[in-house]
Amino acid sequence: MSWMAWTLPTAIFFTAIGLALVGLTVLEVYRPTERVRGFLPMATTRGDRFFISLLSAAFIHLLWLGLMDKGLLVVSGVSAVWAALLMRWG
Amino acid sequence: MSSFKPKNNRAWLGVLPVLLIVAFSAVIPLMTVVNYSVQDILDFNSRFFVGFEWYQQTLKDPRFVDAFLRQVVFSLTILAIEVPLGVAVAKGIPKDSRFTSLILILLALPLLIPWNVVGTIWQVFARPDIGLLGWTVNALGIPYNYTAEPLHAWLTLVAMDVWHWTSLIALLAFAGLTSIPTPFYQAAELDGASRWQVFRYVEMPRLQGVLIIGVLLRLMDSFMIYTEPFVLTGGGPGNATTMLSQHLATMAVGQFDLGPAAAFSVIYFLFILLFCWIFYTSVVRSDDE
Amino acid sequence: MMNRPGLSRGVLIVYGLYLLLPLYWLLSMSLRSNADIQGSFSLLPPTLTLANFAEIFSNPVWYEGFANSLSYVAINTLISLAVAIPAAYAFSRYRFLGDKQLFFWLLTNRMAPPAVFLLPFFQLYSAVGLFDTPLAVALAHCLFTVPLAVWILEGFFSGVPTELDEMAQIDGHSFLYFFMRVFLPINRGAIGVTLFFCFMFSWVELLLARTLSGASSKPIVVVMTRTVSASGVDWGLLAAAGVLTVLPGVLVVWFVRKDLVKGFALGRVS
């Protein structure tokens, strides 16, 4: 497995995503989601909003990395707040 | 996928083989790419964590930005030509003559040709010394040489892609047009609708669904174009026709820069993921309607 | 609107010519000797020769290239169909936990640029000892052929009424009997088209095939990129090889003509 070149941060990252997926699945079994219409232009399920959160977080980070040098933690914070907004009202 | 289906979680058994094989060929490699992208790898025993450095370097690298812009210009250009042309060609296909099948198969021909052969075909077709197109254009007194002039290389590349893929749009649009019942046309005629009005209010609504599919497929596939320009121009002259995939392939297997190439791959993949999600959402939406 | 305007018919004819000219040129090149190609320019071959084709059929580098390509394409097509048929049936007949997400995730693999997977594939297949074998290329191509097959087949299977499944149940047949003896034969057209598309997309791919094959399994697409020698490019030979790689697609297309469009649209149009 040495060719995969694991590092602690990426391992944590993928574990977190894996756990989130497991969590969403468990939640889906006990409290099935409904397609609801929030401030997004289309009706979304919980999983949809989770995906949109991740993808937009990635693009927010890319934008920052391309334009600025410092303060990445601030951006991560902004992404987290945006994700929370999406999950609740998206 | 319509939603009037019984719920049955045992259906997972049917999906499991696909899941395993795609996990092997997609999930493990993608995780590996992410791992590589945050490290400086000399060999697998001496590597250092560098955080987002490669991402920053890639995003600020003028060669990446140039390849990206080139890619966007190329994709938009071919869409702007292929979509209207494809619809126009589809409108010219007779709906029920004995030639219909023959015309459809003829149109499908370029789609069935291996991509590197498409490059080869255009190479022999466009070369100024031995190619029919290149020779003719030069004989008409217009100096044309796609291996030396960036603009000519671009025009040739666009002409090749139009040749290769307009048929896809035409075939899709034809499928959409044939689904319009004749009474619709008769009603429009009774109302005295002009040819433009018929197109706008009768044909366009029916074409919308297939055209969304066509446009998004073309957008995504043109975004990963590699083989045809690789064979035709090799990305040159200079870097004039080097698109994203070729730039990446040079970094990955040409120079073996694991870290930067991996960061590039992740960024590239994120864009495809975005397009893909738009495609899926719009297709599912039109399925539901 | 029965008397169609001449304008769009004109577009069709002009476009048809544009389509055929490069193809004619490839064919005409393949029938010329290199001396004729390099010599004075002419629309028709001055002398017809089959020497280029003879060279391909007698030189092991060329015909082994064809054999190598065909072997990984065949393995790939078999794997793809074997795993995609049950999956497409599941997607078309049932709702289950995570079905939509899974379906979307499959699509992302069809759309992912092979260049992105270049780096890890090279490491992965070297690590498991498959590098430079047809199986490596076949598995790598599964990345896009499996999702393609699932999407196309799902589109076709969804069009088959579910009453069929229920009737078989009432008749007391086992599910396996129904699936193998009733459902698959009814859908043989769909399976044919899917087969064709897996074949096609594996046959045309260059980047992964080139990266994952070394000296002993060189596919035809790679052999073709290496016709450049010290004496320049052997255009006649290259054109002949081009003609030969186009043939399989052209020969099969007649059988799948009805469903070709649906295949290209990932099974999304009826």
Side-chain angles (χ1 to χ4, degrees):
Chain A
M1 289 302 261
S2 72
W3 63 274
M4 280 187 82
W6 281 101
T7 65
L8 187 61
T10 49
I12 293 174
F13 174 71
F14 284 116
T15 315
I17 290 192
L19 285 178
L21 288 180
V22 171
L24 280 172
T25 312
V26 172
L27 207 61
E28 182 66 32
V29 171
Y30 291 103
R31 287 183 53 192
T33 168
E34 298 208 340
R35 276 162 73 93
V36 287
R37 183 73 195 273
F39 62 78
L40 289 170
M42 66 280 162
T44 52
T45 63
R46 199 186 292 132
D48 294 340
R49 290 193 295 277
F50 178 69
F51 177 77
I52 301 170
S53 309
L54 280 186
L55 196 61
S56 47
F59 274 101
I60 293 172
H61 279 83
L62 280 187
L63 194 69
W64 190 265
L65 283 168
L67 298 177
M68 308 288 173
D69 281 319
K70 294 272 168 324
L72 203 64
L73 275 177
V74 182
V75 188
S76 304
V78 170
S79 307
V81 173
W82 167 240
L85 285 175
L86 261 176
M87 292 304 283
R88 177 65 190 81
W89 288 291
Chain B
M1 294 202 293
S2 73
S3 28
F4 306 105
K5 286 181 288 191
K7 208 171 162 78
N8 183 351
N9 277 330
R10 275 203 313 181
W12 261 100
L13 285 177
V15 186
L16 206 58
V18 163
L19 202 65
L20 289 178
I21 202 155
V22 181
F24 179 73
S25 55
V27 177
I28 293 177
L30 271 182
M31 293 204 291
T32 310
V33 170
V34 173
N35 285 346
Y36 289 178
S37 73
V38 293
Q39 297 179 78
D40 191 357
I41 300 174
L42 302 173
D43 64 68
F44 290 110
N45 295 316
S46 55
R47 48 195 172 88
F48 313 96
F49 184 77
V50 295
F52 289 118
E53 201 182 303
W54 297 132
Y55 288 89
Q56 203 142 29
Q57 187 188 313
T58 307
L59 287 167
K60 291 186 174 170
D61 179 359
R63 283 173 310 165
F64 169 78
V65 178
D66 286 350
F68 187 82
L69 290 178
R70 229 176 268 137
Q71 182 73 67
V72 171
V73 171
F74 176 74
S75 292
L76 291 181
T77 311
I78 58 122
L79 278 180
I81 299 174
E82 285 172 15
V83 175
L85 182 61
V87 173
V89 169
K91 278 177 69 78
I93 304 172
K95 273 185 193 164
D96 34 31
S97 104
R98 59 213 159 88
F99 297 117
T100 307
S101 278
L102 196 69
I103 294 174
L104 291 182
I105 289 190
L106 197 70
L107 277 177
L109 266 185
L111 303 172
L112 308 169
I113 296 175
W115 298 349
N116 70 312
V117 179
V118 171
T120 306
I121 290 177
W122 276 81
Q123 214 178 5
V124 266
F125 187 58
R127 278 183 66 98
D129 51 347
I130 60 168
L132 181 58
L133 175 72
W135 190 86
T136 313
V137 172
N138 278 301
L140 290 174
I142 308 162
Y144 162 83
N145 184 356
Y146 76 89
T147 52
E149 283 288 326
L151 180 67
H152 298 173
W154 260 88
L155 291 176
T156 315
L157 208 58
V158 170
M160 175 176 71
D161 202 82
V162 167
W163 181 84
H164 192 183
W165 288 110
T166 303
S167 298
L168 175 66
I169 305 276
L171 290 174
L172 286 174
F174 183 70
L177 285 176
T178 44
S179 74
I180 302 173
T182 329
F184 279 43
Y185 285 111
Q186 290 162 344
E189 209 162 3
L190 280 180
D191 291 346
S194 71
R195 208 179 285 163
W196 167 251
Q197 284 170 323
V198 170
F199 179 69
R200 173 72 190 77
Y201 296 104
V202 180
E203 297 181 330
M204 219 32 214
R206 285 291 176 129
L207 282 179
Q208 221 165 27
V210 283
L211 282 187
I212 288 177
I213 293 180
V215 166
L216 285 164
L217 279 178
R218 279 313 299 134
L219 179 66
M220 283 183 277
D221 284 347
S222 70
F223 230 76
M224 61 191 197
I225 187 169
Y226 171 81
T227 313
E228 300 95 316
F230 173 78
V231 175
L232 182 69
T233 63
N239 278 330
T241 53
T242 303
M243 305 287 163
L244 282 178
S245 272
Q246 195 173 353
H247 190 46
L248 177 54
T250 315
M251 277 168 91
V253 287
Q255 303 154 350
F256 234 69
D257 286 335
L258 295 188
F264 189 141
S265 302
V266 174
I267 299 171
Y268 196 177
F269 188 73
L270 282 172
F271 275 97
I272 294 294
L273 206 56
L274 179 69
F275 294 155
C276 224
W277 181 74
I278 297 171
F279 175 85
Y280 184 76
T281 321
S282 41
V283 169
V284 166
R285 215 201 238 169
S286 61
D287 273 6
D288 284 351
E289 273 163 12
Chain C
M1 284 298 116
M2 294 301 112
N3 50 345
R4 290 211 151 255
L7 181 67
S8 45
R9 189 58 50 83
V11 171
L12 178 70
I13 291 168
V14 172
Y15 184 73
L17 279 177
Y18 179 63
L19 210 82
L20 287 176
L21 273 181
L23 288 176
Y24 160 73
W25 199 244
L26 183 77
L27 188 65
S28 124
M29 287 301 229
S30 72
L31 297 170
R32 297 177 195 209
S33 68
N34 271 318
D36 281 346
I37 293 174
Q38 304 287 357
S40 66
F41 185 87
S42 68
L43 267 179
L44 293 166
T47 46
L48 288 176
T49 168
L50 288 173
N52 295 318
F53 290 97
E55 162 74 10
I56 289 174
F57 286 115
S58 60
N59 186 340
V61 177
W62 283 103
Y63 64 73
E64 275 170 18
F66 271 103
N68 288 333
S69 288
L70 281 175
S71 61
Y72 70 69
V73 169
I75 301 173
N76 168 274
T77 310
L78 279 180
I79 300 178
S80 305
L81 274 183
V83 299
I85 288 174
Y89 182 80
F91 278 122
S92 73
R93 287 295 186 264
Y94 302 107
R95 279 184 301 142
F96 49 93
L97 202 56
D99 54 355
K100 294 225 160 98
Q101 286 77 6
L102 209 58
F103 206 60
F104 168 68
W105 174 62
L106 283 177
L107 178 75
T108 63
N109 292 307
R110 152 68 179 80
M111 300 303 177
V116 166
F117 292 88
L118 214 52
L119 215 51
F121 272 179
F122 183 73
Q123 306 290 346
L124 172 65
Y125 288 107
S126 301
V128 295
L130 284 176
F131 177 74
D132 199 12
T133 63
L135 189 59
V137 184
L139 282 174
H141 283 178
C142 281
L143 175 71
F144 46 85
T145 54
V146 167
L148 185 72
V150 174
W151 267 67
I152 298 177
L153 284 173
E154 195 272 336
F156 280 100
F157 288 177
S158 294
V160 178
T162 47
E163 282 79 12
L164 190 74
D165 308 38
E166 286 150 19
M167 248 156 61
Q169 222 162 20
I170 294 167
D171 288 351
H173 289 308
S174 74
F175 176 75
L176 206 63
Y177 179 90
F178 155 75
F179 196 73
M180 303 302 282
R181 289 299 176 81
V182 183
F183 193 77
L184 289 187
I186 281 183
N187 284 294
R188 58 177 181 273
I191 293 169
V193 181
T194 313
L195 196 109
F196 175 77
F197 273 90
C198 291
F199 174 88
M200 221 40 239
F201 276 86
S202 180
W203 181 247
V204 302
E205 208 278 338
L206 168 73
L207 188 53
L208 293 176
R210 190 184 56 186
T211 310
L212 294 177
S213 56
S216 68
S217 64
K218 220 185 278 171
I220 184 67
V221 284
V222 175
V223 178
M224 278 188 71
T225 58
R226 293 186 188 159
T227 46
V228 192
S229 65
S231 57
V233 183
D234 194 340
W235 294 111
L237 202 56
L238 191 64
V243 170
L244 287 178
T245 52
V246 172
L247 279 184
V250 175
L251 288 181
V252 194
V253 66
W254 183 258
F255 299 102
V256 298
R257 63 186 181 282
K258 233 174 57 218
D259 299 312
L260 206 59
V261 176
K262 194 166 184 180
F264 274 113
L266 295 176
R268 299 298 106 180
V269 287
S270 42

